[in-house]
């Protein structure tokens, strides 16, 4: 895949899917900007080269988002790839969910995706007439959550499902808006994947065609395709990487 010397911003890069995405991009020669609330030291140790920028802060903060994009452009001159990956997931049901729980998931998963997209596209990707935006959504945003546990308590909550459904809708809207500028926007929708968010959740893998939990690298490999120049004719797509749980 053609990615060498591209510049990529990856949110949630300290661990899990974000870490796997950053590492796989670095192996393709991409300069990676690691964005997280927590230290990205563990990710940095796995990178294939030393061309990276670490930006630590709250992605729900508009000023932090702008500062991250500005630091990226100051160091590398341009932005080719944006991976909106960082997320939170409350598993409370609609009866017990608080307004704070709701706002946290919506602000982290959807609002931050909007803010990073806006800041990267205008003016940088638009002026360059090139860009690859990949949003990590979830099958929860399509089917309302993967059932887990005998009583269903492990299912992701309504705020998570709503936020990821919003990410999917935003992906399609942005794809239509930015296609004329040679900017694509796609989404990867993971199913059950081994990350901090899913630790301890009792997924019923018998429901899947592929009877194992996914890995961050499974998701990162899909991101890698959408980030490449070879994906120039793919936009507004939602690629489910879920072991086949969404077949029927």
């Amino acid at each position: 895949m053609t990615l060498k010397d591209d510049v990529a911003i990856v949110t949630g890069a300290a661990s899990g899917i974000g870490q796997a995405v950053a590492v796989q991009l670095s192996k393709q020669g991409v300069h990676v900007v690691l964005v997280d609330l927590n230290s990205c030291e563990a990710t940095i140790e796995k990178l294939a080269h030393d061309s990276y920028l670490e930006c630590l802060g709250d992605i729900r903060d508009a000023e932090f988002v702008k500062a991250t994009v500005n630091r990226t452009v100051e160091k590398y001159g341009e932005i080719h790839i944006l991976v909106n990956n960082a997320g939170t997931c409350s598993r409370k049901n609609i009866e017990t969910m608080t307004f704070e729980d709701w706002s946290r998931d919506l602000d982290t998963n959807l609002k931050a995706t909007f803010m990073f997209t806006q800041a990267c596209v205008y003016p940088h990707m638009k002026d360059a007439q090139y860009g690859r935006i990949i949003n990590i959504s979830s099958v929860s945003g399509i089917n309302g959550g993967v059932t887990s546990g005998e009583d269903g308590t492990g299912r992701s909550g309504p705020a998570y499902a709503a936020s990821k459904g919003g990410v999917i809708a935003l992906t399609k809207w942005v794809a239509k808006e930015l296609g004329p500028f040679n900017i694509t926007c796609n989404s990867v929708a993971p199913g059950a994947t081994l990350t901090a968010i899913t630790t301890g959740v009792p997924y019923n893998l018998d429901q899947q065609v592929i009877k194992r939990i996914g890995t961050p690298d499974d998701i990162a490999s899909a991101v890698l395709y959408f980030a490449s120049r070879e994906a120039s004719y793919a936009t507004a797509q939602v690629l489910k990487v879920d072991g086949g749980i969404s077949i029927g």
Side-chain angles (χ1 to χ4, degrees):
M1 294 183 186
T2 309
L3 287 158
K4 184 174 173 54
D5 290 327
D6 278 359
V7 177
I9 293 177
V10 182
T11 69
S15 61
I17 293 170
Q19 181 181 94
V21 168
V23 171
Q24 286 204 27
L25 286 172
S26 75
K27 289 179 180 179
Q28 298 293 324
V30 176
H31 311 284
V32 289
V33 179
L34 310 171
V35 180
D36 209 293
L37 192 61
N38 304 305
S39 169
C40 294
E41 181 179 354
T43 302
I44 292 168
E45 292 177 353
K46 296 181 179 182
L47 296 179
H49 54 72
D50 61 0
S51 183
Y52 67 87
L53 177 65
E54 183 183 40
C55 297
L56 303 182
D58 189 344
I59 63 170
R60 298 168 296 185
D61 180 352
E63 293 306 313
F64 171 71
V65 172
K66 292 176 185 176
T68 296
V69 172
N70 288 340
R71 285 183 63 191
T72 300
V73 174
E74 287 170 7
K75 179 163 184 168
Y76 293 113
E78 54 193 340
I79 303 168
H80 303 95
I81 302 162
L82 169 64
V83 183
N84 287 304
N85 162 74
T88 57
C89 177
S90 172
R91 296 188 184 275
K92 294 179 182 178
N93 62 26
I94 201 164
E95 180 182 9
T96 59
M97 176 163 284
T98 66
F99 292 135
E100 289 76 17
D101 297 326
W102 177 270
S103 296
R104 185 193 67 160
D105 283 4
L106 266 292
D107 288 351
T108 306
N109 302 344
L110 183 55
K111 179 182 175 182
T113 295
F114 159 72
M115 291 194 296
F116 264 103
T117 299
Q118 184 183 58
C120 287
V121 171
Y122 302 103
H124 309 295
M125 287 182 176
K126 184 178 178 184
D127 284 354
Q129 295 285 289
Y130 182 83
R132 296 284 185 266
I133 301 169
I134 304 98
N135 299 324
I136 305 302
S137 56
S138 170
V139 293
S140 291
I142 300 170
N143 60 20
V146 177
T147 301
S148 57
E150 292 182 1
D151 58 359
T153 53
R155 187 161 62 108
S156 51
Y160 184 79
S163 67
K164 293 303 188 178
V167 166
I168 290 169
L170 179 63
T171 296
K172 295 177 180 180
W173 193 97
V174 169
K176 290 180 179 180
E177 181 79 1
L178 301 182
F181 308 116
N182 195 31
I183 300 169
T184 65
C185 186
N186 292 286
S187 179
V188 176
T193 305
L194 189 59
T195 67
I197 285 178
T198 62
T199 299
V201 177
Y203 289 105
N204 183 1
L205 300 180
D206 288 338
Q207 298 175 343
Q208 296 183 183
V209 177
I210 299 173
K211 301 189 185 304
R212 66 170 176 85
I213 195 166
T215 69
D217 277 328
D218 290 327
I219 313 306
S221 295
V223 172
L224 209 65
Y225 166 67
F226 283 134
S228 72
R229 281 166 172 73
E230 284 75 7
S232 62
Y233 199 50
T235 197
Q237 300 304 302
V238 181
L239 176 59
K240 292 177 281 188
V241 184
D242 65 356
I245 191 68
S246 300
I247 284 178

